[in-house]
Amino acid sequence: MLPLVELEVRHLRALCAIADTGSVRKAALRLGMTQPSLTTQLRRIEATLGGTLFTRGQNGSRPTPLGHSVLSRARPIIAEMTALVSAAREAALGAGGLRLRIGSIGSHAVTGWLRRIHRRLPETDTTIHIEVSSNTLLQLLATNQLDVAFVHETAGFPLAVPEGVERRVLIGREPRFVALAAGHPATARSLVPLSALASDAWIVDPTADDEATALRAAFTAAGVDPRLVHVRDNTTAAELVASGEAVRLSQPIADPAPGTVVRPLDGDPLTCQLALASRSGSLPLRDLDALFTDLMDAYVDVAAANPVYRAWLDRNGSPLLPSVGSH
């Protein structure tokens, strides 16, 4: 028999994560745990409460009647704890202190965005929280742990946007490029079809929202079955690509890692929407406008400095860089 546990807020967060994602595996990724660890934790919680909280089937994990009862009490407790921590941090910051909590996906635009914010708001205590998962960033917004977040949504795979969170679109259609070893035969092409990469192993980050699913869908449409390699560490991923062991998707504004080349995919089979997310009414409109402008200016700067992306923008007649055609 599993030992009983004394319930803590982290246990309640785990239950809510399972309910929200509909999967122990996805909940474990969100919580930064392994699936076996979360499964064991769930069993101990159920043993403590004296009943099954979730049923598992083809459609994932669903709360039982007892599970619904526990979740209905757990969510207010988590919200109160989040509010308590937030209020304590505000008190610690001091009366009259200014604070801005920013969340973001990894992007070359972030450094320029922060630089502009620091220059415009020199007296503000600005913090940055980087996440692979945009869904995680949206949850942090919804629970008042962030003020704004730079997020992306893969075309065809909508984000789970919590109630009270709104998004302002920065880039409606950003393509995903491919990073290849410098000696890969496909680097000779200006546009690389997925079929030319059918025999390659593709690196995906298992914590990234729907990255593997979207890649499989694109390959299925091309009549190809990809080989996926799960790698969470960016340094290792870059080294595997440079060595020719694998290829991986790349943001168009990213600089190639040493020994690699970035190329557009023919037909742009994978695209994303970029947006600035915030809680409704959490910031004055003028402040939100300024943050959006800062981010857009930072994005345009790095896009303009990337010759491969500039060529794509020019070829697609993008208004993002009106002067691109004159260069």
Side-chain angles (χ1 to χ4, degrees):
M1 179 177 177
L2 288 171
L4 303 184
V5 296
E6 183 175 347
L7 287 185
E8 302 174 8
V9 173
R10 64 187 178 91
H11 298 133
L12 302 183
R13 291 188 191 279
L15 297 179
C16 291
I18 296 170
D20 291 341
T21 62
S23 162
V24 174
R25 180 183 63 82
K26 291 180 180 179
L29 290 174
R30 174 182 291 187
L31 297 167
M33 301 173 63
T34 64
Q35 183 174 341
S37 295
L38 182 55
T39 298
T40 300
Q41 187 177 99
L42 174 59
R43 288 174 179 169
R44 287 176 176 171
I45 295 170
E46 290 177 330
T48 299
L49 296 178
T52 301
L53 300 178
F54 295 92
T55 59
R56 298 183 68 176
Q58 291 184 341
N59 295 324
S61 298
R62 296 290 181 268
T64 62
L66 176 60
H68 280 297
S69 177
V70 172
L71 288 165
S72 69
R73 290 166 172 77
R75 294 188 189 280
I77 293 172
I78 293 172
E80 284 297 323
M81 181 58 70
T82 300
L84 184 153
V85 172
S86 179
R89 286 175 176 170
E90 288 176 1
L93 187 60
L98 300 175
R99 181 187 60 178
L100 179 63
R101 301 165 301 173
I102 294 173
S104 178
I105 53 173
S107 170
H108 271 34
V110 170
T111 301
W113 188 26
L114 285 175
R115 184 169 59 248
R116 286 168 171 80
I117 292 171
H118 289 319
R119 186 165 56 235
R120 188 169 53 80
L121 303 170
E123 303 301 320
T124 298
D125 177 24
T126 304
T127 60
I128 183 75
H129 180 101
I130 304 295
E131 281 281 353
V132 173
S133 167
S134 289
N135 277 316
T136 298
L137 290 170
L138 293 176
Q139 288 295 327
L140 292 173
L141 269 177
T143 54
N144 194 29
Q145 297 178 67
L146 294 174
D147 298 310
V148 294
F150 178 28
V151 299
H152 72 241
E153 177 180 272
T154 301
F157 298 88
L159 294 172
V161 182
E163 184 177 354
V165 172
E166 55 190 25
R167 291 175 293 171
R168 184 184 299 193
V169 175
L170 184 85
I171 305 295
R173 179 175 172 267
E174 183 195 62
R176 280 294 178 265
F177 290 174
V178 61
L180 313 155
H184 195 291
T187 60
R189 302 171 182 254
S190 58
L191 294 172
V192 180
L194 283 178
S195 58
L197 305 170
S199 61
D200 288 282
W202 283 76
I203 292 174
V204 293
D205 186 337
T207 62
D209 302 311
D210 298 309
E211 180 180 72
T213 307
L215 188 58
R216 284 192 185 280
F219 267 107
T220 297
V224 178
D225 184 20
R227 291 187 295 125
L228 302 187
V229 180
H230 289 188
V231 179
R232 295 181 61 176
D233 176 62
N234 244 339
T235 300
T236 302
E239 290 175 351
L240 287 172
V241 172
S243 70
E245 290 291 331
V247 301
R248 66 169 172 166
L249 294 175
S250 171
Q251 296 177 13
I253 59 174
D255 292 329
T260 70
V261 173
V262 173
R263 291 285 184 266
L265 290 167
D266 191 18
D268 302 320
L270 292 153
T271 62
C272 293
Q273 180 191 87
L274 307 184
L276 183 65
S278 62
R279 289 186 314 285
S280 303
S282 63
L283 290 173
L285 183 58
R286 64 182 180 182
D287 292 346
L288 198 56
D289 287 344
L291 289 169
F292 183 87
T293 299
D294 288 339
L295 179 55
M296 177 62 85
D297 289 346
Y299 185 92
V300 169
D301 273 1
V302 291
N306 188 305
V308 177
Y309 192 23
R310 284 183 65 93
W312 184 93
L313 293 166
D314 193 21
R315 189 166 54 250
N316 287 272
S318 171
L320 182 62
L321 302 175
S323 60
V324 71
S326 63
H327 289 262

